[in-house]
Amino acid sequence: QVHLEESGGGSVQAGGSLRLSCRTSRYIDSSYCLGWFRQAPGKKREDVATLRTDNATTYVDSVKGRFTVSQDSAKTTLYLQMNSLKAEDTGTYYCAAGHYCSFWNYEGQGTQVTVSS
């Protein structure tokens, strides 16, 4: 069982930055894919960034060049650095872990990100 807890959300003006953190209840070994997805009102849930078991990263097209997913060396915290934020980035952001990317076995409670234009 893995418990995930996000933090770092908030309100920011367009063009600003936020850094989301996701603490895990235990060491996450390399067999897990990790990632962030977001949910905005009236929109489908969307995977934003993933960190694959081979350390490769993938991003949805709309955040490429602006968002960066990373993990600390202890492999207990996942980060999402979000720069040049846009109003359309508004939503609840969740971190997740799973044996297959986008097929998440575990997810956190979410942290709200609001970007005002």
Side-chain angles (χ1 to χ4, degrees):
Q1 187 70 23
V2 178
H3 177 71
L4 306 172
E5 183 174 357
E6 304 93 341
S7 62
S11 297
V12 64
Q13 289 191 328
S17 298
L18 284 173
R19 189 192 197 201
L20 305 183
S21 298
C22 173
R23 293 193 63 181
T24 63
S25 59
R26 61 171 176 84
Y27 167 83
I28 301 295
D29 64 54
S30 58
S31 69
Y32 281 90
C33 178
L34 304 172
W36 293 89
F37 66 89
R38 64 188 177 190
Q39 179 76 62
K43 295 185 178 180
K44 291 176 59 177
R45 193 174 89 167
E46 176 181 56
D47 283 345
V48 174
T50 61
L51 178 63
R52 289 171 17 187
T53 56
D54 59 357
N55 286 323
T57 55
T58 62
Y59 301 92
V60 67
D61 285 346
S62 60
V63 308
K64 284 180 180 177
R66 301 189 297 121
F67 289 13
T68 303
V69 61
S70 62
Q71 190 179 25
D72 70 332
S73 58
K75 296 189 182 298
T76 57
T77 305
L78 186 70
Y79 301 102
L80 184 67
Q81 178 67 43
M82 306 186 296
N83 299 327
S84 302
L85 282 161
K86 304 176 181 180
E88 50 264 43
D89 295 318
T90 294
T92 303
Y93 284 69
Y94 301 83
C95 67
H99 292 295
Y100 299 96
C101 292
S102 299
F103 292 88
W104 308 117
N105 300 103
Y106 307 102
E107 59 186 62
Q109 293 299 307
T111 185
Q112 178 67 35
V113 171
T114 303
V115 184
S116 56
S117 57

